[in-house]
Amino acid sequence: EKSPFCRPKIPQKAMERPGTAGTALLVASLALGVAAAASWRRAKGPKVQIAKSIYVDGLGEVAVKQQKSGGKIHVTLDWKSLLGIPFELPFCSAVVTDGGTIYVSGSIGAQRGADGKPMIVPGGPEKEAIQTLRMIEASLKACGAGLEHVTMVHAFLVDYSQERFQAMNKGYFEVWGSRPLPARICTGTDHVGLNGAVEMDAVAQL
């Protein structure tokens, strides 16, 4: 199949024609080529299927909201059902580009407590890493993807030490299992939400 990325064929007479008429034709031809290339990329991109709801263990169905802006899809899980957060957060769960790249917002090892309010899972960096990745997995699932699509993870660890780093990695490996690991960076930080120990965000590709 011929790609429209090749330069559009411009009539020889137009190339040789002096003055503004020839220049205008040249510019119009190049613009047509750029438009065709953009259309071809959209047509060739992966088909994104946003779920209306996802099933989360222990919670059941969690509603998913989507909004479109600038060719991107902004996906937001029902925070109240998922974590017991009763107010709107200043970010969405994930953004999906028209090329199929998924940017997942920072997630922490939180869950909805018995009182219906958000709380950090007990167990320190190991258990928080597991729950954090489960939250990322939920966002990916809403975007029609999974952990196997993740290409990059950014991890943040409070009170970074060798012992806590190893504990976080133990939980991290437990979730990934035998799947190929994505690229990752880990850095120390002073604080994450709900006074937790671990926060992660992720980039994925459909």
Side-chain angles (χ1 to χ4, degrees), residues 7 10 19 46 49-50 74 80 90 95 112 120 147 149 159-160 173 178 188 203:
R7 183 175 177 177
I10 301 169
Q49 294 183 327
I50 307 300
H74 299 246
K80 187 173 183 180
V95 173
R112 192 174 66 190
I120 293 293
L147 289 175
H149 293 97
D159 295 331
Y160 197 121
F173 280 124
S178 60
V203 180

PDB file of all heavy atoms in Angstrom, residues 7 10 19 46 49-50 74 80 90 95 112 120 147 149 159-160 173 178 188 203:
ATOM      1  N   ARG A   7       6.392  12.720  -1.055  1.00  0.00           N
ATOM      2  CA  ARG A   7       6.137  14.081  -1.490  1.00  0.00           C
ATOM      3  C   ARG A   7       5.175  14.076  -2.666  1.00  0.00           C
ATOM      4  O   ARG A   7       5.333  13.315  -3.599  1.00  0.00           O
ATOM      5  CB  ARG A   7       7.471  14.726  -1.901  1.00  0.00           C
ATOM      6  CG  ARG A   7       7.337  16.173  -2.306  1.00  0.00           C
ATOM      7  CD  ARG A   7       8.706  16.753  -2.585  1.00  0.00           C
ATOM      8  NE  ARG A   7       8.621  18.117  -3.049  1.00  0.00           N
ATOM      9  CZ  ARG A   7       9.664  18.877  -3.320  1.00  0.00           C
ATOM     10  NH1 ARG A   7      10.875  18.386  -3.157  1.00  0.00           N
ATOM     11  NH2 ARG A   7       9.521  20.104  -3.741  1.00  0.00           N
ATOM     12  N   ILE A  10       4.324  17.346  -8.191  1.00  0.00           N
ATOM     13  CA  ILE A  10       3.983  18.701  -8.619  1.00  0.00           C
ATOM     14  C   ILE A  10       4.287  18.837 -10.105  1.00  0.00           C
ATOM     15  O   ILE A  10       5.366  18.452 -10.565  1.00  0.00           O
ATOM     16  CB  ILE A  10       4.802  19.739  -7.828  1.00  0.00           C
ATOM     17  CG1 ILE A  10       4.515  19.561  -6.328  1.00  0.00           C
ATOM     18  CG2 ILE A  10       4.479  21.158  -8.273  1.00  0.00           C
ATOM     19  CD1 ILE A  10       5.442  20.339  -5.446  1.00  0.00           C
ATOM     20  N   GLY A  19       6.783  33.598 -10.342  1.00  0.00           N
ATOM     21  CA  GLY A  19       5.712  34.431  -9.820  1.00  0.00           C
ATOM     22  C   GLY A  19       4.875  33.729  -8.772  1.00  0.00           C
ATOM     23  O   GLY A  19       5.099  32.576  -8.406  1.00  0.00           O
ATOM     24  N   PRO A  46      -4.260   2.302  15.880  1.00  0.00           N
ATOM     25  CA  PRO A  46      -5.062   1.245  16.513  1.00  0.00           C
ATOM     26  C   PRO A  46      -6.452   1.741  16.851  1.00  0.00           C
ATOM     27  O   PRO A  46      -6.650   2.924  17.148  1.00  0.00           O
ATOM     28  CB  PRO A  46      -4.260   0.922  17.785  1.00  0.00           C
ATOM     29  CG  PRO A  46      -3.485   2.166  18.058  1.00  0.00           C
ATOM     30  CD  PRO A  46      -3.151   2.753  16.727  1.00  0.00           C
ATOM     31  N   GLN A  49     -10.902   1.315  22.046  1.00  0.00           N
ATOM     32  CA  GLN A  49     -12.226   0.980  22.559  1.00  0.00           C
ATOM     33  C   GLN A  49     -12.264   1.254  24.067  1.00  0.00           C
ATOM     34  O   GLN A  49     -11.663   0.533  24.854  1.00  0.00           O
ATOM     35  CB  GLN A  49     -12.559  -0.487  22.267  1.00  0.00           C
ATOM     36  CG  GLN A  49     -12.697  -0.792  20.777  1.00  0.00           C
ATOM     37  CD  GLN A  49     -13.105  -2.225  20.512  1.00  0.00           C
ATOM     38  OE1 GLN A  49     -12.736  -3.119  21.258  1.00  0.00           O
ATOM     39  NE2 GLN A  49     -13.872  -2.443  19.463  1.00  0.00           N
ATOM     40  N   ILE A  50     -12.941   2.319  24.438  1.00  0.00           N
ATOM     41  CA  ILE A  50     -13.060   2.687  25.840  1.00  0.00           C
ATOM     42  C   ILE A  50     -14.245   1.952  26.458  1.00  0.00           C
ATOM     43  O   ILE A  50     -15.351   1.973  25.920  1.00  0.00           O
ATOM     44  CB  ILE A  50     -13.245   4.209  26.000  1.00  0.00           C
ATOM     45  CG1 ILE A  50     -12.131   4.953  25.260  1.00  0.00           C
ATOM     46  CG2 ILE A  50     -13.286   4.592  27.472  1.00  0.00           C
ATOM     47  CD1 ILE A  50     -10.744   4.648  25.740  1.00  0.00           C
ATOM     48  N   HIS A  74      -9.882  11.413  26.967  1.00  0.00           N
ATOM     49  CA  HIS A  74      -9.592  11.522  28.397  1.00  0.00           C
ATOM     50  C   HIS A  74     -10.517  10.562  29.142  1.00  0.00           C
ATOM     51  O   HIS A  74     -11.741  10.667  29.047  1.00  0.00           O
ATOM     52  CB  HIS A  74      -9.813  12.957  28.862  1.00  0.00           C
ATOM     53  CG  HIS A  74      -8.920  13.943  28.178  1.00  0.00           C
ATOM     54  ND1 HIS A  74      -7.946  14.653  28.845  1.00  0.00           N
ATOM     55  CD2 HIS A  74      -8.840  14.328  26.877  1.00  0.00           C
ATOM     56  CE1 HIS A  74      -7.310  15.439  27.991  1.00  0.00           C
ATOM     57  NE2 HIS A  74      -7.838  15.260  26.791  1.00  0.00           N
ATOM     58  N   LYS A  80     -15.263   7.640  43.322  1.00  0.00           N
ATOM     59  CA  LYS A  80     -16.019   7.346  44.544  1.00  0.00           C
ATOM     60  C   LYS A  80     -16.224   5.842  44.699  1.00  0.00           C
ATOM     61  O   LYS A  80     -16.054   5.280  45.784  1.00  0.00           O
ATOM     62  CB  LYS A  80     -17.366   8.067  44.531  1.00  0.00           C
ATOM     63  CG  LYS A  80     -18.122   7.946  45.846  1.00  0.00           C
ATOM     64  CD  LYS A  80     -19.370   8.812  45.867  1.00  0.00           C
ATOM     65  CE  LYS A  80     -20.070   8.726  47.219  1.00  0.00           C
ATOM     66  NZ  LYS A  80     -21.295   9.581  47.259  1.00  0.00           N
ATOM     67  N   PRO A  90      -8.273  16.698  40.347  1.00  0.00           N
ATOM     68  CA  PRO A  90      -7.826  17.624  39.297  1.00  0.00           C
ATOM     69  C   PRO A  90      -7.091  16.942  38.145  1.00  0.00           C
ATOM     70  O   PRO A  90      -6.185  17.511  37.549  1.00  0.00           O
ATOM     71  CB  PRO A  90      -6.905  18.588  40.063  1.00  0.00           C
ATOM     72  CG  PRO A  90      -6.314  17.741  41.138  1.00  0.00           C
ATOM     73  CD  PRO A  90      -7.414  16.801  41.555  1.00  0.00           C
ATOM     74  N   VAL A  95      -5.024   9.304  29.529  1.00  0.00           N
ATOM     75  CA  VAL A  95      -5.280   9.965  28.254  1.00  0.00           C
ATOM     76  C   VAL A  95      -4.774   9.054  27.145  1.00  0.00           C
ATOM     77  O   VAL A  95      -3.659   8.521  27.221  1.00  0.00           O
ATOM     78  CB  VAL A  95      -4.564  11.328  28.164  1.00  0.00           C
ATOM     79  CG1 VAL A  95      -4.700  11.910  26.762  1.00  0.00           C
ATOM     80  CG2 VAL A  95      -5.137  12.309  29.185  1.00  0.00           C
ATOM     81  N   ARG A 112     -10.643   1.517  48.985  1.00  0.00           N
ATOM     82  CA  ARG A 112     -11.763   2.049  49.754  1.00  0.00           C
ATOM     83  C   ARG A 112     -11.874   1.273  51.057  1.00  0.00           C
ATOM     84  O   ARG A 112     -11.990   0.041  51.062  1.00  0.00           O
ATOM     85  CB  ARG A 112     -13.060   1.931  48.941  1.00  0.00           C
ATOM     86  CG  ARG A 112     -14.225   2.722  49.529  1.00  0.00           C
ATOM     87  CD  ARG A 112     -15.420   2.666  48.606  1.00  0.00           C
ATOM     88  NE  ARG A 112     -15.963   1.319  48.509  1.00  0.00           N
ATOM     89  CZ  ARG A 112     -16.881   0.957  47.631  1.00  0.00           C
ATOM     90  NH1 ARG A 112     -17.343   1.825  46.755  1.00  0.00           N
ATOM     91  NH2 ARG A 112     -17.332  -0.280  47.608  1.00  0.00           N
ATOM     92  N   ILE A 120      -4.657   3.923  52.581  1.00  0.00           N
ATOM     93  CA  ILE A 120      -3.506   3.206  52.047  1.00  0.00           C
ATOM     94  C   ILE A 120      -3.547   1.759  52.541  1.00  0.00           C
ATOM     95  O   ILE A 120      -3.823   1.507  53.728  1.00  0.00           O
ATOM     96  CB  ILE A 120      -2.182   3.880  52.492  1.00  0.00           C
ATOM     97  CG1 ILE A 120      -2.043   5.257  51.840  1.00  0.00           C
ATOM     98  CG2 ILE A 120      -0.980   3.012  52.143  1.00  0.00           C
ATOM     99  CD1 ILE A 120      -1.864   5.220  50.330  1.00  0.00           C
ATOM    100  N   LEU A 147      -1.524  -4.543  31.352  1.00  0.00           N
ATOM    101  CA  LEU A 147      -0.139  -4.338  31.766  1.00  0.00           C
ATOM    102  C   LEU A 147       0.849  -4.748  30.675  1.00  0.00           C
ATOM    103  O   LEU A 147       1.963  -4.223  30.612  1.00  0.00           O
ATOM    104  CB  LEU A 147       0.149  -5.126  33.053  1.00  0.00           C
ATOM    105  CG  LEU A 147      -0.519  -4.604  34.334  1.00  0.00           C
ATOM    106  CD1 LEU A 147      -0.246  -5.558  35.492  1.00  0.00           C
ATOM    107  CD2 LEU A 147      -0.032  -3.198  34.667  1.00  0.00           C
ATOM    108  N   HIS A 149       0.816  -3.951  27.761  1.00  0.00           N
ATOM    109  CA  HIS A 149       1.018  -2.832  26.838  1.00  0.00           C
ATOM    110  C   HIS A 149       1.918  -1.738  27.416  1.00  0.00           C
ATOM    111  O   HIS A 149       2.253  -0.778  26.719  1.00  0.00           O
ATOM    112  CB  HIS A 149      -0.331  -2.212  26.460  1.00  0.00           C
ATOM    113  CG  HIS A 149      -1.201  -3.113  25.651  1.00  0.00           C
ATOM    114  ND1 HIS A 149      -2.196  -3.893  26.199  1.00  0.00           N
ATOM    115  CD2 HIS A 149      -1.219  -3.366  24.315  1.00  0.00           C
ATOM    116  CE1 HIS A 149      -2.788  -4.585  25.248  1.00  0.00           C
ATOM    117  NE2 HIS A 149      -2.222  -4.287  24.096  1.00  0.00           N
ATOM    118  N   ASP A 159      11.044   7.934  51.701  1.00  0.00           N
ATOM    119  CA  ASP A 159      12.104   7.423  52.588  1.00  0.00           C
ATOM    120  C   ASP A 159      12.908   6.325  51.899  1.00  0.00           C
ATOM    121  O   ASP A 159      13.022   5.190  52.383  1.00  0.00           O
ATOM    122  CB  ASP A 159      11.510   6.889  53.905  1.00  0.00           C
ATOM    123  CG  ASP A 159      10.853   7.980  54.728  1.00  0.00           C
ATOM    124  OD1 ASP A 159      11.286   9.146  54.619  1.00  0.00           O
ATOM    125  OD2 ASP A 159       9.902   7.671  55.470  1.00  0.00           O
ATOM    126  N   TYR A 160      13.428   6.689  50.739  1.00  0.00           N
ATOM    127  CA  TYR A 160      14.159   5.739  49.897  1.00  0.00           C
ATOM    128  C   TYR A 160      15.346   5.152  50.659  1.00  0.00           C
ATOM    129  O   TYR A 160      16.228   5.858  51.120  1.00  0.00           O
ATOM    130  CB  TYR A 160      14.655   6.488  48.651  1.00  0.00           C
ATOM    131  CG  TYR A 160      15.079   5.625  47.490  1.00  0.00           C
ATOM    132  CD1 TYR A 160      14.463   5.752  46.255  1.00  0.00           C
ATOM    133  CD2 TYR A 160      16.104   4.697  47.615  1.00  0.00           C
ATOM    134  CE1 TYR A 160      14.859   4.978  45.171  1.00  0.00           C
ATOM    135  CE2 TYR A 160      16.497   3.927  46.545  1.00  0.00           C
ATOM    136  CZ  TYR A 160      15.871   4.073  45.320  1.00  0.00           C
ATOM    137  OH  TYR A 160      16.253   3.307  44.252  1.00  0.00           O
ATOM    138  N   PHE A 173       7.619  -7.187  41.273  1.00  0.00           N
ATOM    139  CA  PHE A 173       7.842  -8.452  40.562  1.00  0.00           C
ATOM    140  C   PHE A 173       6.639  -9.388  40.691  1.00  0.00           C
ATOM    141  O   PHE A 173       6.320 -10.132  39.758  1.00  0.00           O
ATOM    142  CB  PHE A 173       9.088  -9.156  41.094  1.00  0.00           C
ATOM    143  CG  PHE A 173      10.379  -8.621  40.541  1.00  0.00           C
ATOM    144  CD1 PHE A 173      11.367  -8.155  41.397  1.00  0.00           C
ATOM    145  CD2 PHE A 173      10.608  -8.587  39.182  1.00  0.00           C
ATOM    146  CE1 PHE A 173      12.568  -7.660  40.892  1.00  0.00           C
ATOM    147  CE2 PHE A 173      11.800  -8.103  38.666  1.00  0.00           C
ATOM    148  CZ  PHE A 173      12.788  -7.634  39.529  1.00  0.00           C
ATOM    149  N   SER A 178       5.821 -13.397  34.961  1.00  0.00           N
ATOM    150  CA  SER A 178       6.741 -13.809  33.891  1.00  0.00           C
ATOM    151  C   SER A 178       6.683 -12.884  32.678  1.00  0.00           C
ATOM    152  O   SER A 178       7.391 -13.104  31.698  1.00  0.00           O
ATOM    153  CB  SER A 178       6.422 -15.236  33.448  1.00  0.00           C
ATOM    154  OG  SER A 178       5.083 -15.317  32.952  1.00  0.00           O
ATOM    155  N   GLY A 188      13.525   8.819  44.845  1.00  0.00           N
ATOM    156  CA  GLY A 188      13.005   9.076  46.171  1.00  0.00           C
ATOM    157  C   GLY A 188      12.193  10.361  46.201  1.00  0.00           C
ATOM    158  O   GLY A 188      12.396  11.263  45.400  1.00  0.00           O
ATOM    159  N   VAL A 203       3.293   4.685  31.036  1.00  0.00           N
ATOM    160  CA  VAL A 203       3.018   4.951  29.625  1.00  0.00           C
ATOM    161  C   VAL A 203       2.837   3.597  28.945  1.00  0.00           C
ATOM    162  O   VAL A 203       3.600   2.652  29.207  1.00  0.00           O
ATOM    163  CB  VAL A 203       4.168   5.720  28.954  1.00  0.00           C
ATOM    164  CG1 VAL A 203       3.855   5.990  27.475  1.00  0.00           C
ATOM    165  CG2 VAL A 203       4.456   7.021  29.682  1.00  0.00           C
TER     166      VAL A 203
END
